[in-house]
PDB file of all heavy atoms in Angstrom:
ATOM      1  N   PHE A 128      33.015   2.063  55.939  1.00 96.00           N
ATOM      2  CA  PHE A 128      31.784   1.125  56.007  1.00 96.00           C
ATOM      3  C   PHE A 128      32.084  -0.211  56.181  1.00 96.00           C
ATOM      4  O   PHE A 128      31.667  -0.971  57.138  1.00 96.00           O
ATOM      5  CB  PHE A 128      30.929   1.268  54.771  1.00 96.00           C
ATOM      6  CG  PHE A 128      29.843   0.296  54.687  1.00 96.00           C
ATOM      7  CD1 PHE A 128      28.631   0.509  55.407  1.00 96.00           C
ATOM      8  CD2 PHE A 128      29.994  -0.816  53.873  1.00 96.00           C
ATOM      9  CE1 PHE A 128      27.597  -0.559  55.276  1.00 96.00           C
ATOM     10  CE2 PHE A 128      28.968  -1.646  53.813  1.00 96.00           C
ATOM     11  CZ  PHE A 128      27.833  -1.608  54.488  1.00 96.00           C
ATOM     12  N   VAL A 129      33.113  -0.777  55.460  1.00 95.00           N
ATOM     13  CA  VAL A 129      33.554  -2.087  55.643  1.00 95.00           C
ATOM     14  C   VAL A 129      34.113  -2.352  56.981  1.00 95.00           C
ATOM     15  O   VAL A 129      33.856  -3.481  57.620  1.00 95.00           O
ATOM     16  CB  VAL A 129      34.692  -2.419  54.548  1.00 95.00           C
ATOM     17  CG1 VAL A 129      35.415  -3.812  54.752  1.00 95.00           C
ATOM     18  CG2 VAL A 129      34.026  -2.507  53.091  1.00 95.00           C
ATOM     19  N   GLY A 130      34.918  -1.467  57.424  1.00 95.00           N
ATOM     20  CA  GLY A 130      35.573  -1.633  58.860  1.00 95.00           C
ATOM     21  C   GLY A 130      34.560  -1.627  60.008  1.00 95.00           C
ATOM     22  O   GLY A 130      34.828  -2.311  60.977  1.00 95.00           O
ATOM     23  N   TYR A 131      33.537  -0.849  59.907  1.00 94.00           N
ATOM     24  CA  TYR A 131      32.652  -0.642  61.029  1.00 94.00           C
ATOM     25  C   TYR A 131      31.306  -1.278  60.926  1.00 94.00           C
ATOM     26  O   TYR A 131      30.763  -1.636  61.862  1.00 94.00           O
ATOM     27  CB  TYR A 131      32.602   0.818  61.421  1.00 94.00           C
ATOM     28  CG  TYR A 131      33.787   1.352  62.036  1.00 94.00           C
ATOM     29  CD1 TYR A 131      34.722   1.977  61.276  1.00 94.00           C
ATOM     30  CD2 TYR A 131      34.076   1.202  63.288  1.00 94.00           C
ATOM     31  CE1 TYR A 131      35.840   2.506  61.808  1.00 94.00           C
ATOM     32  CE2 TYR A 131      35.187   1.640  63.981  1.00 94.00           C
ATOM     33  CZ  TYR A 131      36.121   2.299  63.190  1.00 94.00           C
ATOM     34  OH  TYR A 131      37.246   2.734  63.729  1.00 94.00           O
ATOM     35  N   LEU A 132      30.753  -1.434  59.583  1.00 92.00           N
ATOM     36  CA  LEU A 132      29.320  -1.808  59.545  1.00 92.00           C
ATOM     37  C   LEU A 132      29.109  -3.040  58.638  1.00 92.00           C
ATOM     38  O   LEU A 132      27.969  -3.661  58.837  1.00 92.00           O
ATOM     39  CB  LEU A 132      28.533  -0.547  58.858  1.00 92.00           C
ATOM     40  CG  LEU A 132      28.603   0.728  59.786  1.00 92.00           C
ATOM     41  CD1 LEU A 132      27.976   1.823  58.851  1.00 92.00           C
ATOM     42  CD2 LEU A 132      27.920   0.426  61.024  1.00 92.00           C
ATOM     43  N   ALA A 133      29.869  -3.359  57.712  1.00 86.00           N
ATOM     44  CA  ALA A 133      29.627  -4.437  56.802  1.00 86.00           C
ATOM     45  C   ALA A 133      29.597  -5.847  57.579  1.00 86.00           C
ATOM     46  O   ALA A 133      30.537  -6.089  58.252  1.00 86.00           O
ATOM     47  CB  ALA A 133      30.674  -4.486  55.713  1.00 86.00           C
ATOM     48  N   ARG A 134      28.560  -6.466  57.351  1.00 79.00           N
ATOM     49  CA  ARG A 134      28.418  -7.906  57.931  1.00 79.00           C
ATOM     50  C   ARG A 134      29.320  -8.847  57.429  1.00 79.00           C
ATOM     51  O   ARG A 134      29.854  -9.722  58.102  1.00 79.00           O
ATOM     52  CB  ARG A 134      27.041  -8.370  57.937  1.00 79.00           C
ATOM     53  CG  ARG A 134      25.983  -7.552  58.701  1.00 79.00           C
ATOM     54  CD  ARG A 134      24.672  -8.240  58.624  1.00 79.00           C
ATOM     55  NE  ARG A 134      23.599  -7.396  59.309  1.00 79.00           N
ATOM     56  CZ  ARG A 134      23.402  -7.565  60.516  1.00 79.00           C
ATOM     57  NH1 ARG A 134      24.036  -8.323  61.278  1.00 79.00           N
ATOM     58  NH2 ARG A 134      22.372  -6.683  61.081  1.00 79.00           N
ATOM     59  N   ALA A 135      29.768  -8.761  56.139  1.00 70.00           N
ATOM     60  CA  ALA A 135      30.753  -9.724  55.459  1.00 70.00           C
ATOM     61  C   ALA A 135      32.054  -9.741  56.107  1.00 70.00           C
ATOM     62  O   ALA A 135      32.746 -10.746  56.088  1.00 70.00           O
ATOM     63  CB  ALA A 135      30.762  -9.363  53.981  1.00 70.00           C
ATOM     64  N   TYR A 136      32.457  -8.753  56.888  1.00 66.00           N
ATOM     65  CA  TYR A 136      33.674  -8.682  57.463  1.00 66.00           C
ATOM     66  C   TYR A 136      33.644  -8.799  58.943  1.00 66.00           C
ATOM     67  O   TYR A 136      34.607  -8.683  59.715  1.00 66.00           O
ATOM     68  CB  TYR A 136      34.545  -7.408  57.178  1.00 66.00           C
ATOM     69  CG  TYR A 136      34.846  -7.433  55.598  1.00 66.00           C
ATOM     70  CD1 TYR A 136      34.037  -7.009  54.640  1.00 66.00           C
ATOM     71  CD2 TYR A 136      35.957  -8.078  55.231  1.00 66.00           C
ATOM     72  CE1 TYR A 136      34.329  -7.305  53.313  1.00 66.00           C
ATOM     73  CE2 TYR A 136      36.337  -8.267  53.823  1.00 66.00           C
ATOM     74  CZ  TYR A 136      35.483  -7.832  52.793  1.00 66.00           C
ATOM     75  OH  TYR A 136      35.752  -7.933  51.656  1.00 66.00           O
ATOM     76  N   ALA A 137      32.402  -8.943  59.499  1.00 65.00           N
ATOM     77  CA  ALA A 137      32.275  -8.983  60.940  1.00 65.00           C
ATOM     78  C   ALA A 137      32.812 -10.436  61.367  1.00 65.00           C
ATOM     79  O   ALA A 137      32.735 -11.345  60.639  1.00 65.00           O
ATOM     80  CB  ALA A 137      30.789  -8.930  61.329  1.00 65.00           C
ATOM     81  N   PRO A 138      33.238 -10.408  62.651  1.00 61.00           N
ATOM     82  CA  PRO A 138      33.718 -11.675  63.146  1.00 61.00           C
ATOM     83  C   PRO A 138      32.729 -12.744  63.136  1.00 61.00           C
ATOM     84  O   PRO A 138      31.530 -12.416  63.477  1.00 61.00           O
ATOM     85  CB  PRO A 138      34.171 -11.350  64.553  1.00 61.00           C
ATOM     86  CG  PRO A 138      34.026  -9.848  64.872  1.00 61.00           C
ATOM     87  CD  PRO A 138      33.291  -9.304  63.578  1.00 61.00           C
ATOM     88  N   GLU A 139      33.132 -13.868  62.972  1.00 64.00           N
ATOM     89  CA  GLU A 139      32.190 -15.079  62.898  1.00 64.00           C
ATOM     90  C   GLU A 139      31.657 -15.318  64.404  1.00 64.00           C
ATOM     91  O   GLU A 139      32.323 -15.224  65.344  1.00 64.00           O
ATOM     92  CB  GLU A 139      32.970 -16.330  62.608  1.00 64.00           C
ATOM     93  CG  GLU A 139      33.648 -16.337  61.287  1.00 64.00           C
ATOM     94  CD  GLU A 139      32.570 -16.515  60.166  1.00 64.00           C
ATOM     95  OE1 GLU A 139      31.603 -17.299  60.335  1.00 64.00           O
ATOM     96  OE2 GLU A 139      32.748 -15.943  59.072  1.00 64.00           O
ATOM     97  N   PRO A 140      30.340 -15.607  64.513  1.00 59.00           N
ATOM     98  CA  PRO A 140      29.869 -15.719  65.867  1.00 59.00           C
ATOM     99  C   PRO A 140      30.362 -17.092  66.503  1.00 59.00           C
ATOM    100  O   PRO A 140      30.528 -18.123  65.737  1.00 59.00           O
ATOM    101  CB  PRO A 140      28.368 -15.819  65.698  1.00 59.00           C
ATOM    102  CG  PRO A 140      28.206 -16.143  64.228  1.00 59.00           C
ATOM    103  CD  PRO A 140      29.329 -15.579  63.459  1.00 59.00           C
ATOM    104  N   THR A 141      30.756 -17.069  67.766  1.00 60.00           N
ATOM    105  CA  THR A 141      31.255 -18.187  68.346  1.00 60.00           C
ATOM    106  C   THR A 141      30.104 -19.090  68.744  1.00 60.00           C
ATOM    107  O   THR A 141      28.999 -18.619  69.325  1.00 60.00           O
ATOM    108  CB  THR A 141      32.050 -17.949  69.606  1.00 60.00           C
ATOM    109  OG1 THR A 141      31.280 -17.042  70.396  1.00 60.00           O
ATOM    110  CG2 THR A 141      33.327 -17.171  69.164  1.00 60.00           C
ATOM    111  N   PRO A 142      30.171 -20.449  68.496  1.00 64.00           N
ATOM    112  CA  PRO A 142      29.029 -21.313  68.792  1.00 64.00           C
ATOM    113  C   PRO A 142      28.851 -21.427  70.366  1.00 64.00           C
ATOM    114  O   PRO A 142      29.816 -21.322  71.189  1.00 64.00           O
ATOM    115  CB  PRO A 142      29.465 -22.695  68.297  1.00 64.00           C
ATOM    116  CG  PRO A 142      30.842 -22.497  67.974  1.00 64.00           C
ATOM    117  CD  PRO A 142      31.264 -21.105  67.910  1.00 64.00           C
TER     118      PRO A 142
END
Side-chain angles (χ1 to χ4, degrees):
F128 170 78
V129 167
Y131 287 97
L132 300 173
R134 292 187 186 270
Y136 292 88
E139 301 281 329
T141 54

